[in-house]
Amino acid sequence: SVRTILINDAAVSRRDAELLQIGVDAVCRARDLVNEPQSYLTAELLADEFKKLGKEAGFSVTVFDKKKITELKMGGILAVNKGSVHPPAFSIMEWKPANAKNKKPIVLVGKGVVYDTGGLSLKPTLTSMDYMKCDMAGSAAVSCAIYAAAKAKLPLHVIALVPSTDNRPGGDAYAPGDVITMYDKTSVEVLNTDAEGRLILADALSWAKQYKPELVLDFATLTGAASAAIGPYGMVCMGNKVDKSTVEALKESGNNVYERLAEFPFWDEYSELIKSDIADLKNIGGSSAGAITAGKFLQHFTDYPWFHFDIAGVGFLHNPDSYRGKNASGYGVRFIFDYLKKVS
């Protein structure tokens, strides 16, 4: 294997090489996490992996167990976890150097569904459930991005939040027709248990309010609709209360690292599609605009500048694709790291 790389270019500094190496290492860590099968990577073990990353890079990690999640009444996480024999976890990672430039933190939120059967709304196996070990690719992206930020000692206050569980049809699994109460007291009518990612992300987005964040970015393998819309060529994104210059900076970072953004319309009318007759919201919006209605569901739980990234089409690749290889791509790590470097 390659042991030494010499860079013969006066324009490349030692710091440039160091940052490149940190980014590569972070992407590889993310790929390893996503490639792990569910037989090993339970929600609790995923949280343990975050602790290892934190110990190595120097950021703090706090993990809430099922008892704490229950005390906090995080109804979205608890509902999705009901059919599992493994407990959920909620991980809070924080990098806060003494020289942080931002008074308010940048918060990253990642979907941590370690395996998704679809629950009682069971997925088909072929080219669907058989790849669902990758449904925590969002959590890998945000944890490894904060790992990179800490390893690089970026002067930024960054927090990463990961709600994690598997989604199973067993035991006392939540069912279509149920009404659940979320962490922020919103009531949600469940019409499809395979729309579970938005339920656990919603609790995390509500939790993020306490930090009064400068910006929140969430990453999730959320909808087949996003994958169908643009394929494995970029991330579907949408957001709220984000100023134009920040949006342009995010798009620039996407272009810089070839993890491009496809911004979808986010008109108010899409919210009408997730109104429920018996609750505040329903968890699916029908056959139209599935990626956008999922985003509208998440928007309900935000009150800060927020951008949502759906990486369903790119988090796990079924065919070799240039430098991304095959299987877990580590998508999102390079994008987030590039943006954080830019604003630090």
Side-chain angles (χ1 to χ4, degrees):
S1 60
V2 176
R3 296 183 181 275
T4 304
I5 298 175
L6 303 177
I7 303 174
N8 185 21
D9 189 336
V12 180
S13 69
R14 180 174 292 275
R15 177 63 171 169
D16 292 333
E18 178 188 31
L19 291 173
L20 180 60
Q21 186 63 62
I22 288 170
V24 169
D25 289 344
V27 169
C28 289
R29 293 297 188 90
R31 288 175 175 173
D32 285 346
L33 285 174
V34 177
N35 282 329
E36 286 284 0
Q38 62 83 31
S39 56
Y40 168 73
L41 200 67
T42 63
E44 288 180 308
L45 284 172
L46 179 62
D48 286 344
E49 293 295 331
F50 297 154
K51 290 178 181 177
K52 292 176 186 177
L53 292 174
K55 187 175 182 179
E56 182 180 333
F59 61 87
S60 66
V61 182
T62 302
V63 179
F64 294 163
D65 60 11
K66 185 174 183 178
K67 181 181 178 182
K68 180 68 173 177
I69 293 168
T70 303
E71 288 174 357
L72 292 170
K73 298 182 180 179
M74 290 184 164
I77 299 172
L78 292 169
V80 177
N81 183 249
K82 282 182 71 176
S84 176
V85 298
H86 300 293
F90 185 74
S91 300
I92 303 168
M93 294 161 266
E94 185 168 18
W95 167 244
K96 189 177 183 181
N99 62 338
K101 292 182 177 180
N102 50 332
K103 293 182 179 179
K104 297 180 178 180
I106 294 172
V107 177
L108 310 173
V109 179
K111 175 184 171 182
V113 175
V114 293
Y115 193 75
D116 183 18
T117 67
L120 290 175
S121 304
L122 200 66
K123 292 177 180 287
T125 296
L126 186 62
T127 67
S128 181
M129 195 198 301
D130 44 352
Y131 295 112
M132 282 299 106
K133 66 182 183 181
C134 77
D135 213 17
M136 38 63 67
S139 72
V142 302
S143 61
C144 292
I146 197 172
Y147 167 85
K151 285 283 281 189
K153 293 183 168 46
L154 297 185
L156 285 177
H157 184 193
V158 184
I159 295 170
L161 306 176
V162 173
S164 53
T165 179
D166 53 335
N167 183 27
R168 301 276 188 168
D172 188 30
Y174 77 130
D178 284 353
V179 174
I180 63 176
T181 302
M182 308 294 285
Y183 172 64
D184 76 339
K185 310 304 182 189
T186 295
S187 60
V188 174
E189 180 186 9
V190 175
L191 294 179
N192 189 318
T193 64
D194 195 23
E196 86 297 333
R198 65 201 68 183
L199 296 177
I200 70 170
L201 285 171
D203 281 345
L205 291 170
S206 296
W207 181 263
K209 292 176 183 178
Q210 67 183 286
Y211 303 114
K212 301 190 186 312
E214 172 184 302
L215 177 66
V216 174
L217 308 175
D218 83 66
F219 294 79
T221 47
L222 205 62
T223 66
S227 178
I230 65 170
Y233 303 110
M235 295 181 276
V236 165
C237 66
M238 59 205 78
N240 186 47
K241 298 184 179 179
V242 181
D243 61 77
K244 187 175 181 180
S245 62
T246 300
V247 174
E248 289 306 312
L250 289 167
K251 289 181 177 179
E252 183 181 281
S253 285
N255 291 334
N256 285 347
V257 300
Y258 206 63
E259 295 187 350
R260 297 168 296 179
L261 311 186
E263 186 178 3
F264 275 21
F266 212 42
W267 302 314
D268 292 341
E269 287 84 350
Y270 289 113
S271 296
E272 297 294 318
L273 300 177
I274 56 170
K275 285 187 174 179
S276 167
D277 293 334
I278 61 172
D280 296 318
L281 299 172
K282 54 186 180 181
N283 78 326
I284 55 170
S287 58
S288 300
I292 300 172
T293 53
K296 279 294 180 184
F297 182 90
L298 296 179
Q299 182 189 8
H300 175 86
F301 301 89
T302 69
D303 64 359
Y304 40 67
W306 159 79
F307 231 64
H308 161 60
F309 301 87
D310 194 329
I311 59 172
V314 287
F316 194 88
L317 303 172
H318 305 299
N319 298 295
D321 179 19
S322 63
Y323 65 90
R324 296 183 204 165
K326 186 179 178 181
N327 298 324
S329 65
Y331 211 94
V333 177
R334 295 164 67 244
F335 163 69
I336 302 168
F337 190 36
D338 187 87
Y339 177 73
L340 294 178
K341 287 186 292 184
K342 185 186 306 176
V343 298
S344 66

